[in-house]
Amino acid sequence: MMCEAGRDSLPLPRPHPLLLSVTARYQQAPGVHMDHFLYRGGRLHAEDVDLDAIVAGVGTPVYVYSTATLLRHFRLFDEALAPLPHLVCFAVKALSNVAVLRVLAQAGAGMDVVSGGEYLRARAAGVPGERIVFSGVAKTEDEMALALQGGIRHFNVESAPEIEMLSAVAMRTGREAAVSLRVNPDVDAHTHAKIATGRKGDKFGIPVAFAPRVAARVAHLPGLRLAGVDVHIGSQLTELAPFEAAFTRLAALVGELRAQGHAIESVNLGGGLGIPYARANEAPPLPVDYGALVRRTVGHLGCEVIIEPGRLIAGNAGVLLSRVVRAKQGEDRDFLILDAGMNDLIRPAMYDAFHDIVPLREPPAGAPVRPFDVVGPVCESGDTFARARDLPFLAADDLVAFRSAGAYGAVMASEYNSRPLVPEVLVHGDQFAVIRARPSYDEMIARDSLPPWLQA
Ligand code: LLP
């Protein structure tokens, strides 16, 4: 089965069919994608914490993360790469709360950051600079200087002009910048078009054919050291073949660059391994399969291997809890109106993403289900989480959980419709703590200010 309690003393509860979001392959691979959100005594728990208790203390909507699941998923990658010198850099963009980053940092994770803000979050979580890599197409001089002065393992550089700027900033700050050339391998990741990043029409990376010329420029410019090469072809990949094509191209490039006299020490393979969101999902490959592919394609290079997974570590480690405000009959359908909206979880509106929705109160076995359109309070029809989703009977004040909401959930939340930013809670065993409080209306409004000419 997909879920287990994660500790020997706990009874293994019977998973409700609505909770099962993985296919047979995952069920045969215990330890993988298991999470710690389970029904116990008829109520959904995060580890040993009854989610009702969190709702009572914090209200809804609220994100809840499981420490044990975060650590389990980090370790799966760490173990899958164990035979090689490696560093697993969590993609901070997936879930950037400093408490979550600290959990992973204490387990030995590095961080992949894409902005000055993410860099400072990683540092605030206690991650040393030598375990941070800096990605992104639009790094500014200020961000480069911040990372160079604070300490950084390398920059994943995405263009020739970026290299000129980095050299200038390195000279100005007196710190050498290690460069990893991110190349665009022109590989279709077979994922949602909005999150595919390795096709030649995408804004990311340096065309592979240009890489030798750019590498020569790096070697020539002062303040820079060519340390490695890098590729990231997209997110929520559910097959290994695109990774294989990209990693193979990267390995060939390492050979080419070495033949030109460059000492290439590291290969950064990006992130992208997908997770199962829906019960009907084709099960994505497992980290252990991914690890075998990495060894097969780049293991012979003698390089340090860096990976940047985000979703697979955080996705199934988080749920979004919401309360039913009311049910409403439409002419041809029933709506379930929640107090969580697209501003709290934008993935369904933005990528047509599927998230399992389960009641906090376990429905009796064999309870009838009926189709609901599950919607939020925001004044757009796009504020729809699911259409014709079969759910057990739910009514006003009932509580539900969106599963697999840990990655790209809270980080993409906004205050659209002046709905205060959704809070976050971290669970650890039988303890929980608010790790980002819900702002009051006053706090939200006090961030605005009136210009002098409007104050009278
Ligand atoms: N490295 C780089 C350079 C990236 O751009 C990304 C994600 C990652 C690593 C982590 O990828 P992951 O392992 O999480 O797939 N908001 C979208 C996902 C955007 C991903 C952006 N880049 C979503 O909700 O599906």
Side-chain angles (χ1 to χ4, degrees), residues 425-444:
V425 165
L426 183 66
V427 169
H428 177 50
D430 60 4
Q431 309 172 63
F432 73 88
V434 174
I435 55 172
R436 187 175 70 196
R438 189 191 315 279
S440 67
Y441 285 130
D442 283 348
E443 285 164 340
M444 182 176 71

Side-chain angles (χ1 to χ4, degrees), residues 77 89-94 112-114 135-136 156 158 182 191-192 194-197 204 230-237 243 268-274 277 307-313 345-347 350-351 353 355 407-409 411-412:
F77 275 119
C89 288
F90 176 62
V92 171
K93 64 172 79 67
D112 165 47
V113 304
V114 294
S135 302
N156 292 322
E158 305 230 13
R182 175 169 176 183
T191 184
H192 192 285
K194 285 184 185 162
I195 53 174
T197 54
F204 301 97
D230 168 36
V231 74
H232 169 79
I233 57 172
S235 193
Q236 185 54 17
L237 270 71
F243 285 123
N268 181 327
L269 304 176
L273 192 57
Y277 277 99
I307 60 169
E308 303 169 347
R311 190 190 310 267
L312 198 138
I313 291 176
L345 176 66
I346 204 170
R347 302 195 66 261
M350 189 139 171
Y351 315 105
H355 286 265
Y408 307 109
V411 287
M412 296 181 80

Side-chain angles (χ1 to χ4, degrees), residues 3 5 14 21 29 48 64 105 132 171 174 179 206 274 283 350 359 371 395 399 409-410:
C3 304
R14 175 177 48 87
S21 61
D48 296 344
V64 179
I132 303 178
M171 294 310 287
V179 169
I206 297 163
M350 189 139 171
L399 297 165

Side-chain angles (χ1 to χ4, degrees), residues 7 36-37 40 45-49 65-69 427-429:
R7 55 193 69 197
H36 295 73
F37 297 96
R40 288 163 56 186
H45 283 60
E47 305 188 24
D48 296 344
V49 174
Y65 310 121
S66 155
T67 301
T69 311
V427 169
H428 177 50

Side-chain angles (χ1 to χ4, degrees), residues 265-280:
E265 306 150 11
S266 69
V267 288
N268 181 327
L269 304 176
L273 192 57
I275 62 172
Y277 277 99
R279 270 161 283 163

Side-chain angles (χ1 to χ4, degrees), residues 125-210:
V127 185
E130 65 266 23
R131 278 204 262 141
I132 303 178
V133 299
F134 205 133
S135 302
V137 291
K139 297 174 206 84
T140 63
E141 286 189 25
D142 286 351
E143 288 173 322
M144 290 172 178
L146 178 75
L148 280 173
Q149 274 154 352
I152 187 85
R153 188 185 202 87
H154 67 229
F155 293 88
N156 292 322
V157 169
E158 305 230 13
S159 65
E162 185 185 337
I163 280 167
E164 306 294 323
M165 180 186 280
L166 187 58
S167 167
V169 177
M171 294 310 287
R172 182 157 54 75
T173 56
R175 306 284 168 102
E176 185 184 67
V179 169
S180 181
L181 287 186
R182 175 169 176 183
V183 294
N184 182 321
D186 192 21
V187 166
D188 185 348
H190 298 151
T191 184
H192 192 285
K194 285 184 185 162
I195 53 174
T197 54
R199 303 158 301 182
K200 66 176 173 221
D202 298 322
K203 68 180 173 181
F204 301 97
I206 297 163
V208 180
F210 298 179

